[in-house]
Amino acid sequence: MRVETKATNSNVENPRAKVYMTDEEYRILRRSAESNRDELMIRLCGQAGLRSFEVTQVKPKHVRRAKDGKHYFLRVPRGKDTTGTGGKTRDTFLPRDLETRLHRFARDNGIDENEAYFPYSARWVQERVKMAAENAYGETGDEDWLKVSSHDLRVYFGHTLLVEERMNPEVVMDVGGWEDYESIKPYLGKPSEENIINEFRRVERT
């Protein structure tokens, strides 16, 4: 786990940490969730790029099957307002196994098409992520887990796609709700050692 600390203009004495999780650390966080519900919220942030308040908005009716009949998208009805227009609607990619889990969750809990999967506040979602991170700390003894927030799941989402998977930035911006290249710069960060080795392996000459 790599932690970058940067002081904010509002409070230099209490800098904000940005945590870059590996795939294994992300799996540890998921395993450390208090419930199936909490793990699903973690996955929506980490694998669909949702912000904490967006997690509270999505409903079964927002899931749609792609035209190829094999993949799924999730309509995020009101994203972050960066233009003063009330927030932009977007479609984010929804992994098939996550779609299956969401469908089962709605069925088992009697959630109607027009009801939110997680009818809570953004703060509540953030607290559930913090609880999972505290559980991970209890399991591993690594104090960096105590710095993990729900936003770091979005960091994981953006960094994994942009740096580790080298996905087209335009695609990442579209599904993640980022307006321009400047807004995704903070998610680039430093590549992992494995990524560096793989990159040089491609051009290595014997």
Side-chain angles (χ1 to χ4, degrees), residues 71-89:
H71 298 91
Y72 294 88
F73 287 90
L74 178 66
R75 172 63 54 93
V76 183
R78 184 175 60 82
K80 185 177 180 180
D81 186 3
T82 58
T83 61
T85 58
K88 182 181 177 182
T89 298

Side-chain angles (χ1 to χ4, degrees), residues 178-194:
W178 288 290
E179 293 294 328
D180 50 44
Y181 287 104
E182 285 298 316
S183 61
I184 64 173
K185 276 186 177 180
Y187 299 89
L188 293 175
K190 182 180 178 181
S192 66
E193 182 176 279
E194 181 182 6

Side-chain angles (χ1 to χ4, degrees), residues 30 32-40 101 128:
R30 285 176 50 188
S32 301
E34 291 278 300
S35 64
N36 175 50
R37 174 200 60 196
D38 290 2
E39 188 199 0
L40 284 174
R101 290 279 302 279
R128 301 315 297 173

Side-chain angles (χ1 to χ4, degrees), residues 2 18-27 43 45-49 95 151-169 172 175 178 184-192 194-195 199:
R2 181 164 55 87
K18 181 185 293 182
V19 179
Y20 292 87
M21 286 180 283
T22 64
D23 289 342
E24 177 57 28
E25 288 161 345
Y26 173 66
R27 286 190 286 269
R43 292 191 65 185
C45 296
Q47 291 171 259
H151 180 68
D152 294 316
L153 288 166
R154 193 162 155 84
V155 172
Y156 171 80
F157 174 78
H159 180 78
T160 298
L161 296 182
L162 290 167
V163 179
E164 302 301 328
E165 300 298 336
R166 294 179 293 168
M167 187 175 286
N168 184 333
V172 178
V175 299
W178 288 290
I184 64 173
K185 276 186 177 180
Y187 299 89
L188 293 175
K190 182 180 178 181
S192 66
E194 181 182 6
N195 186 261
E199 286 297 291

Side-chain angles (χ1 to χ4, degrees), residues 31-142:
R31 291 199 305 268
S32 301
E34 291 278 300
S35 64
N36 175 50
R37 174 200 60 196
D38 290 2
E39 188 199 0
L40 284 174
M41 293 191 298
I42 287 172
R43 292 191 65 185
L44 283 171
C45 296
Q47 291 171 259
L50 269 62
R51 302 173 177 93
S52 56
F53 78 89
E54 293 171 340
V55 170
T56 70
Q57 299 176 1
V58 291
K59 306 172 182 180
K61 71 176 183 180
H62 293 140
V63 177
R64 70 171 176 86
R65 191 187 296 267
K67 293 178 180 179
D68 66 2
K70 299 178 181 179
H71 298 91
Y72 294 88
F73 287 90
L74 178 66
R75 172 63 54 93
V76 183
R78 184 175 60 82
K80 185 177 180 180
D81 186 3
T82 58
T83 61
T85 58
K88 182 181 177 182
T89 298
R90 72 180 189 277
D91 287 334
T92 189
F93 187 80
L94 188 66
R96 279 178 284 185
D97 64 322
L98 182 51
E99 187 278 332
T100 299
R101 290 279 302 279
L102 283 171
H103 177 77
R104 187 180 304 138
F105 181 79
R107 181 197 64 199
D108 293 347
N109 291 276
I111 298 173
D112 184 78
E113 283 288 300
N114 293 301
E115 292 181 302
Y117 290 106
F118 312 104
Y120 313 110
S121 68
R123 182 63 179 169
W124 189 87
V125 174
Q126 294 162 9
E127 289 298 327
R128 301 315 297 173
V129 174
K130 292 292 289 185
M131 178 65 72
E134 289 172 5
N135 290 341
Y137 163 66
E139 175 187 337
T140 65
D142 185 348

